Amino acid sequence: MAETPTIRFGVIGCADIARKVSRAISLAPNAALYAVGSRSLDKARAFAAANGFPAAAKVHGSYEAVLDDPDVDAVYVPLPTSLHVRWAVLAAQKKKHVLLEKPVALHAAEFDEIVEACESNGVQLMDGTMWMHHPRTAKMRDFLSDSNRFGQLRSIHTHFTFAADADFLENDIRVKPDLDALGSLGDEGWYCLRAILWAANYELPKTVIASRNPELNKAGVILSCGASLHWEDGKVATFHCSFLTNLTMDITAVGTKGTLHVHDFIIPYEEKEASFYAATETGFDDLVSKWIPQPSKHIIKTDIPQEALMVTEFARLVADIKFNNSKPEKKWPTISRKTQLVLDAVKASIERGFEPVQIQE
Amino acid sequence: MAETPTIRFGVIGCADIARKVSRAISLAPNAALYAVGSRSLDKARAFAAANGFPAAAKVHGSYEAVLDDPDVDAVYVPLPTSLHVRWAVLAAQKKKHVLLEKPVALHAAEFDEIVEACESNGVQLMDGTMWMHHPRTAKMRDFLSDSNRFGQLRSIHTHFTFAADADFLENDIRVKPDLDALGSLGDEGWYCLRAILWAANYELPKTVIASRNPELNKAGVILSCGASLHWEDGKVATFHCSFLTNLTMDITAVGTKGTLHVHDFIIPYEEKEASFYAATETGFDDLVSKWIPQPSKHIIKTDIPQEALMVTEFARLVADIKFNNSKPEKKWPTISRKTQLVLDAVKASIERGFEPVQIQE
C-alpha cells in the first residue's frame, strides 16, 4: 500500500480554538502543521512554539504570507466570523482548501460567496463542527435511521449553554458586534441547529419562530436565545442556547418507536470514550410501575479525538483532489449552508418581533 | 407511641389507574382499602377481588353509595376529567377527603368549584401526581434550591410522550371529547407543566405561547402539542407532549451554576430505585477536550413506591384533620390550580392561533 499522502496545513490566526485544532492536525495521520500566520510575527512564533509546530514550520507575520506559500495545501481559518468571507474567499482564490470555523458566515448570502470561490477554484470547503466526525455520531445516526429501532423523527430538543466568565462577557470576540456579531446564536446556536438538522436528515424546517426575550448585551449581541422549528410533516424542534448558564449540551430526539439522549454531544465528557442512550418501544409493566425495556447505554471508543478525525476526513478529501483528481465533496458546504440558513431565520424572527419566518432554500 | 391511625379509602370508578392506586392504598401504612363503587356492581366486585381489597370491603353499584358510607374517610377519584367537578364536589359535601386524578378539571374555574367545596367542608384535596412524592423529587428540589450547586433557574425543557396503541387512539377516555377533552395536553402536558412549575418554585410564567401544528384527532382532541413559557425575569421553559411517539419523560433544568437531568421523572425505570444527574460549574480542560468536573449520578432508594408515598402523605394530612383538628393543607390544591392555569393558557393559545396568552392568577 502506498504511504498516506500528507496534507500540509497553514493556520491563519492564533485564536484559542486554533490550539486545539493545531493539536488535531498533529494527531491526524494524513496531515501536518506546516505554517502559521498572525498579524504579529511574535504572536505567530509563540503560537508555533507552544502548539507542537515542527522546527521547520513556516512562521509568518501576516495571513497573506500563508496563502502565498505554494507548499501550503490547506488553511484552517479560526478568525472571527466577520473576517470569514474575506479570508476564505482569498484562500480559495490562492487554491488553498479551506477548513473554516463556525459559524461559517454572518449570513447565508455571505457564505454563498465563499462557496462560489471554493467551487470555482476546485478546493474543498468544510466547517469546523467537530462532533460531526466522532464515531459516536455515526452510531447515533444509525439509530435514528433505523425504522425498527427509532421509527420516524417527530420531536427534538437541543440545549447548549455555558457560563461565560466576566472576562469573556467583556472581551471575547463572541460578544463583539464587529467580530462575532451572532453571539450565542452563532456560537452555541450553531451546534443546536446543526444537531436538529442532522437528526432531521438535513431536511430544512418550513417555519422558524424565535423564542421571546432573548438576552442581549449593551452592544445588542445575543447572549441567550432559542426558537422552535416546524416542518411540513408536523415534526417540531426547539432549542435554547446561552452564555449565561451552566455548561449543558443535550440532544433529545424522539421518534415513533425510539428515543435518543445524549448530554455531551459537542464535546464528549472524555476524549477517547463517549456514550449515548437509546430506547426502543419502551413501555411499562402491567401496573405502570416500571419501564420495560429500559433504555440502553452505548459506549463508543476512539483512538484519536473527534477534532483529529475531522482533520483526517478533511485531509483525505483534499488528498483525493490533489492526487486523484477527485471533485470536492459537496456534502460539507451543503450542510454548512443549511445550518446558516436556519440560523439566519432565527435571527430574522428575533428582529421581526418573534414572528414566524419561512425558510427558503 | 400511639398506633398510626388508619384512613379508610373508597374508590369511585374502576379505571385502569385505580388498580395502581388501590395497590398503593394497600401498601401505605396509614391507609386501608375500605370500599369501591362502580356504576356496575359486577364490575366493582371483580375490581375488588382483583385488586387486594379485604374480604370485608364494601362493594357498591354506584359512586353515591360510597360517598354515603359514613365509615369512608376519603375517596380516590379516577373518573374521566369531565366528571371531576360533579363527583369531587359531591364527595366534599359528604365530608369525604378527595384524592383526585389529574388533570384536576377541564379548566381552572371548574377546579375552583372543587376547591371551594373542599374548603367549605374542611376536607383535604390533593391531586394524583405521584412523582411529587418520590424521595428523588425532594433530592432534586434540594439541588435546584441550592444557590451554590444550581444557582438561579434560567431555562427548562420537559418532554413526556408515549406511543399509544391503536386501541388507545380509538377507545381510551383520553381521546374522547366528552370524557378527557384535554387529551395529551391534559394527560401528559399536565406532568410537563407541573415539572416546569416545580422547577420554578411554582412561580407562574407571565406569558404562554403554544407551539404551532399540534396534532388533533378527528374529534378535535389534542394528540400532541407543546408550548414555550416566559417569566418576567427572562426564565424560559419549553415542553412537548404526544401520544404518538416513543415513551420519553425528561426534565432538563439549567441554572446559572448547575444542570439537572432526569429521564424517568414521572415513573422511574425501577420501582424502588431512581436516579438523576446533577452538574455544578461544569467546564473543560485547557484544550476544551473533556469536561471537568463531570456530572454526577445520584441514586435514591425507596421502600415503597411513589404512589404509596402519595397515599401515605394524603392519609397523614387527613388523619391530622380527623384526629388533631388540623386545617387542610393548602399547598396541594394551590399547585394543582397553578398547573391547571398554565394548562388552560396553552389551550387558549392553541385556540387563538398560537398567540401569546398572559397568565392571570
Side-chain angles (χ1 to χ4, degrees):
Chain A
M1 222 176 92
E3 210 183 314
T4 308
T6 297
I7 298 303
R8 288 173 300 233
F9 278 76
V11 175
I12 59 172
C14 301
D16 234 25
I17 185 70
R19 295 163 56 221
K20 183 172 179 173
V21 175
S22 294
R23 173 171 170 261
I25 294 167
S26 309
L27 291 171
N30 56 350
L33 286 169
Y34 182 80
V36 57
S38 166
R39 287 168 301 173
S40 145
L41 185 60
D42 282 350
K43 212 170 153 191
R45 211 173 269 138
F47 184 89
N51 289 285
F53 280 66
K58 306 280 185 66
V59 177
H60 296 289
S62 73
Y63 308 144
E64 289 90 339
V66 177
L67 302 185
D68 284 332
D69 188 325
D71 290 330
V72 166
D73 296 309
V75 289
Y76 167 60
V77 183
L79 299 171
T81 313
S82 59
L83 301 177
H84 283 190
V85 63
R86 174 173 168 201
W87 291 103
V89 166
L90 192 60
Q93 288 166 348
K94 303 273 186 178
K95 310 291 181 194
K96 308 305 182 197
H97 304 273
V98 180
L99 180 59
L100 183 62
E101 263 311 324
K102 31 61 49 189
V104 288
L106 292 172
H107 48 75
E110 205 180 65
F111 184 61
D112 287 344
E113 292 183 47
I114 299 173
V115 172
E116 203 285 315
C118 289
E119 284 187 353
S120 62
N121 288 285
V123 299
Q124 182 66 47
L125 173 62
M126 181 190 273
D127 73 47
T129 310
M130 299 169 180
W131 72 272
M132 302 303 297
H133 303 272
H134 197 291
R136 172 175 65 177
T137 305
K139 287 283 179 200
M140 295 193 296
R141 177 72 261 161
D142 289 347
F143 176 66
L144 296 182
S145 299
D146 189 328
S147 60
N148 292 317
R149 289 192 294 158
F150 186 74
Q152 283 71 54
L153 178 71
R154 300 301 295 158
S155 62
I156 176 164
H157 178 76
T158 64
H159 225 104
F160 181 21
T161 72
F162 58 80
D165 60 21
D167 180 55
F168 181 109
L169 293 174
E170 189 67 34
N171 300 314
D172 197 88
I173 58 170
R174 287 166 280 187
V175 299
K176 301 290 184 189
D178 54 334
L179 299 172
D180 277 353
L182 298 169
S184 165
L185 173 62
D187 183 36
E188 301 169 313
W190 174 274
Y191 291 104
C192 293
L193 292 170
R194 170 61 62 83
I196 290 168
L197 287 170
W198 166 82
N201 235 338
Y202 302 108
E203 183 196 347
L204 285 169
K206 194 183 159 206
T207 309
V208 171
I209 308 169
S211 186
R212 295 190 176 228
N213 307 326
E215 291 168 281
L216 310 178
N217 69 10
K218 281 181 190 161
V221 175
I222 295 168
L223 302 180
S224 85
C225 69
S228 65
L229 287 62
H230 304 269
W231 282 259
E232 194 86 67
D233 70 356
K235 267 196 302 290
V236 60
T238 49
F239 82 90
H240 181 76
C241 60
S242 174
F243 286 152
L244 305 173
T245 58
N246 189 57
L247 179 59
T248 305
M249 36 175 89
D250 283 5
I251 301 174
T252 299
V254 186
T256 49
K257 289 191 178 177
T259 305
L260 171 77
H261 281 123
V262 57
H263 293 308
D264 58 350
F265 79 99
I266 301 156
I267 297 174
Y269 294 146
E270 298 283 352
E271 205 175 53
K272 298 202 170 174
E273 181 177 306
S275 62
F276 68 92
Y277 294 85
T280 295
E281 293 186 347
T282 30
F284 300 117
D285 66 345
D286 176 52
L287 276 183
V288 191
S289 298
K290 60 181 286 191
W291 290 42
I292 299 172
Q294 294 181 16
S296 55
K297 184 176 184 176
H298 300 256
I299 299 174
I300 293 93
K301 293 180 189 291
T302 51
D303 289 332
I304 59 173
Q306 61 182 5
E307 59 272 20
L309 294 167
M310 172 181 78
V311 170
T312 305
E313 172 63 7
F314 176 72
R316 186 187 69 78
L317 294 170
V318 171
D320 241 25
I321 296 164
K322 183 173 176 184
F323 300 109
N324 303 334
N325 224 5
S326 294
K327 296 275 178 214
E329 170 61 76
K330 290 198 172 181
K331 172 191 166 187
W332 297 109
T334 302
I335 65 177
S336 303
R337 185 171 192 278
K338 287 186 174 187
T339 312
Q340 187 80 45
L341 266 181
V342 182
L343 202 153
D344 290 357
V346 175
K347 187 158 174 277
S349 179
I350 292 173
E351 288 166 355
R352 294 178 204 164
F354 318 107
E355 284 302 302
V357 169
Q358 308 301 317
I359 299 256
Q360 265 139 12
E361 224 174 320
Chain B
M1 221 176 92
E3 210 181 315
T4 308
T6 297
I7 299 303
R8 287 173 302 231
F9 278 77
V11 174
I12 60 172
C14 301
D16 234 25
I17 185 69
R19 296 162 56 221
K20 182 172 180 173
V21 174
S22 294
R23 173 170 170 263
I25 295 168
S26 308
L27 291 171
N30 56 349
L33 287 168
Y34 182 80
V36 58
S38 165
R39 286 168 302 174
S40 146
L41 185 60
D42 282 350
K43 213 171 153 190
R45 211 173 268 140
F47 185 89
N51 289 286
F53 280 67
K58 306 278 185 66
V59 177
H60 297 290
S62 74
Y63 308 145
E64 290 90 339
V66 176
L67 303 186
D68 284 331
D69 188 326
D71 290 330
V72 167
D73 296 309
V75 290
Y76 167 60
V77 183
L79 300 170
T81 312
S82 60
L83 300 178
H84 282 188
V85 63
R86 174 174 167 199
W87 292 102
V89 166
L90 192 59
Q93 288 166 348
K94 303 274 186 177
K95 311 291 182 195
K96 308 305 183 197
H97 303 274
V98 180
L99 180 60
L100 184 62
E101 262 312 324
K102 33 57 49 189
V104 289
L106 292 171
H107 48 74
E110 207 181 62
F111 183 62
D112 287 344
E113 293 183 46
I114 298 174
V115 172
E116 202 286 314
C118 289
E119 283 188 352
S120 61
N121 287 285
V123 298
Q124 181 67 47
L125 175 61
M126 182 191 271
D127 73 48
T129 309
M130 298 168 179
W131 72 272
M132 302 301 299
H133 303 272
H134 196 291
R136 171 175 64 177
T137 305
K139 287 282 180 200
M140 295 193 296
R141 177 73 261 162
D142 288 347
F143 176 65
L144 295 183
S145 299
D146 189 328
S147 60
N148 292 317
R149 287 192 296 157
F150 186 74
Q152 282 72 54
L153 178 71
R154 300 302 296 160
S155 64
I156 175 164
H157 178 76
T158 64
H159 225 103
F160 181 22
T161 72
F162 58 80
D165 61 20
D167 179 54
F168 180 109
L169 292 174
E170 189 68 33
N171 300 313
D172 195 88
I173 58 171
R174 287 166 281 187
V175 299
K176 300 292 185 187
D178 55 335
L179 298 173
D180 277 353
L182 299 170
S184 165
L185 174 61
D187 184 36
E188 299 168 315
W190 174 274
Y191 291 105
C192 293
L193 292 171
R194 170 61 61 84
I196 290 168
L197 287 171
W198 165 81
N201 235 338
Y202 302 109
E203 184 197 347
L204 284 168
K206 193 182 161 206
T207 309
V208 171
I209 307 169
S211 186
R212 295 188 178 228
N213 306 325
E215 291 169 282
L216 311 178
N217 69 9
K218 282 180 191 163
V221 175
I222 295 168
L223 303 180
S224 84
C225 69
S228 63
L229 288 62
H230 304 269
W231 282 259
E232 194 86 65
D233 70 356
K235 267 196 301 290
V236 60
T238 50
F239 82 91
H240 180 77
C241 60
S242 174
F243 287 152
L244 304 173
T245 58
N246 189 57
L247 179 58
T248 305
M249 36 175 89
D250 283 7
I251 301 174
T252 299
V254 186
T256 47
K257 287 192 179 176
T259 305
L260 171 78
H261 281 123
V262 57
H263 293 307
D264 57 349
F265 78 100
I266 301 156
I267 297 175
Y269 293 145
E270 297 283 352
E271 207 175 50
K272 299 201 169 174
E273 183 177 304
S275 61
F276 66 93
Y277 294 85
T280 295
E281 294 186 346
T282 31
F284 299 117
D285 66 345
D286 176 53
L287 274 183
V288 193
S289 296
K290 60 180 289 191
W291 291 42
I292 298 172
Q294 292 181 17
S296 54
K297 184 177 184 177
H298 298 257
I299 299 173
I300 293 94
K301 293 178 189 292
T302 51
D303 289 332
I304 59 173
Q306 61 181 6
E307 59 273 20
L309 293 168
M310 172 181 77
V311 171
T312 304
E313 172 63 6
F314 177 72
R316 185 186 71 75
L317 294 170
V318 171
D320 243 24
I321 296 164
K322 184 175 174 183
F323 299 111
N324 302 335
N325 224 7
S326 294
K327 296 276 177 216
E329 170 60 77
K330 289 198 174 182
K331 171 192 168 186
W332 296 109
T334 301
I335 66 177
S336 303
R337 185 171 191 277
K338 287 185 174 186
T339 313
Q340 187 80 46
L341 266 182
V342 182
L343 202 153
D344 291 357
V346 175
K347 186 158 175 276
S349 179
I350 293 173
E351 289 167 356
R352 294 178 205 165
F354 318 107
E355 284 301 302
V357 169
Q358 308 302 318
I359 300 256
Q360 268 140 9
E361 226 174 320

